[in-house]
Amino acid sequence: MNIYVRLAEHQKIESKRLWLRPFSMKDTTDIFEYSSDAANLEFIFPPHRTMEQTKFILANHFMREPLGKWAIELKDEKKMVGVLQCVKLSEREEIAELAYVLNKRYWNQGLMTEALQVLTDTCLQQIGLKAIVLNCDTKNYGSIQVAKKAGYRRAGRFKGSNQYTGRISEFEKYEVKRNQAAGASHV
């Protein structure tokens, strides 16, 4: 079966506290809440200046081609608090690179680790990917800790440029493979 068919079959994923689900225009205010805060985005994209900019990005980036992009919603609050997405996907090699962001008001609660673990399990077990990669700026300690807690192993280090700012940084590559025990749930 085609990888995009499997992604389409797993557009909504549930964990203990979260829903990973498709985006909706109703997410605009929640996205703007964290995407307009530079402190929340230090290692990714420049902050959004207006709600109109957020609406444009939501519609044109997340909703126009929705497969491999999940809004992270807190079940109890019914609030969208972050994003997990495939930034690169090789159907031939069956490998994806994931990226994520979480509203800083929800940091240090294990939410991103929970989201990454359930998505990793789904991608490896149901979608059929052979491996998943995360590339973390070496100064982004929070993201590195999430990767480690979610069972990813360090697989290398390299220099690269941020796709949004062009700034050259050092990155650490983390990965988990389908047939390699990375954590309790990735066997």
Side-chain angles (χ1 to χ4, degrees):
M1 187 180 296
N2 175 282
I3 199 163
Y4 293 100
V5 170
R6 290 181 292 211
L7 281 169
E9 292 172 342
H10 293 88
Q11 286 187 295
K12 195 164 186 182
I13 302 167
E14 183 178 12
S15 71
K16 183 178 177 183
R17 299 178 288 173
L18 306 169
W19 282 109
L20 304 185
R21 57 151 176 88
F23 289 86
S24 146
M25 289 308 286
K26 293 176 186 175
D27 296 324
T28 303
T29 302
D30 291 339
I31 293 173
F32 186 74
E33 182 179 313
Y34 68 79
S35 66
S36 62
D37 182 351
N40 210 116
L41 309 169
E42 180 180 358
F43 300 101
I44 45 179
F45 52 84
H48 295 183
R49 295 175 192 249
T50 66
M51 286 279 260
E52 289 305 312
Q53 181 183 12
T54 299
K55 283 181 185 179
F56 178 87
I57 291 169
L58 176 58
N60 287 280
H61 177 73
F62 293 109
M63 294 177 70
R64 188 164 91 186
E65 295 180 12
L67 297 180
K69 299 171 185 172
W70 295 268
I72 302 169
E73 180 182 305
L74 285 173
K75 285 181 183 178
D76 290 345
E77 296 180 32
K78 294 184 171 59
K79 179 175 178 64
M80 188 270 195
V81 296
V83 173
L84 263 165
Q85 67 176 323
C86 295
V87 291
K88 292 181 186 170
L89 179 63
S90 170
E91 186 175 8
R92 185 177 55 78
E93 296 177 23
E94 297 178 323
I95 295 173
E97 178 186 337
L98 297 179
Y100 44 85
V101 63
L102 185 70
N103 184 326
K104 73 179 186 181
R105 291 181 30 202
Y106 297 90
W107 290 358
N108 300 311
Q109 297 177 35
L111 295 171
M112 186 52 77
T113 301
E114 181 178 328
L116 183 58
Q117 284 174 326
V118 72
L119 182 59
T120 299
D121 289 346
T122 300
C123 284
L124 295 175
Q125 296 170 14
Q126 279 84 39
I127 295 172
L129 294 177
K130 290 181 181 175
I132 303 172
V133 173
L134 307 170
N135 291 316
C136 304
D137 188 302
T138 56
K139 294 177 185 168
N140 190 346
Y141 306 113
S143 189
I144 290 170
Q145 290 307 307
V146 166
K148 289 177 179 178
K149 288 178 185 176
Y152 284 72
R153 294 183 177 162
R154 187 170 178 258
R157 189 177 180 117
F158 64 95
K159 282 189 177 187
S161 66
N162 178 299
Q163 70 179 7
Y164 302 102
T165 65
R167 184 181 75 216
I168 301 296
S169 296
E170 292 265 338
F171 292 88
E172 287 189 353
K173 177 181 176 180
Y174 287 84
E175 68 180 9
V176 65
K177 295 180 180 178
R178 181 174 38 206
N179 297 321
Q180 169 191 39
S185 60
H186 305 299
V187 180

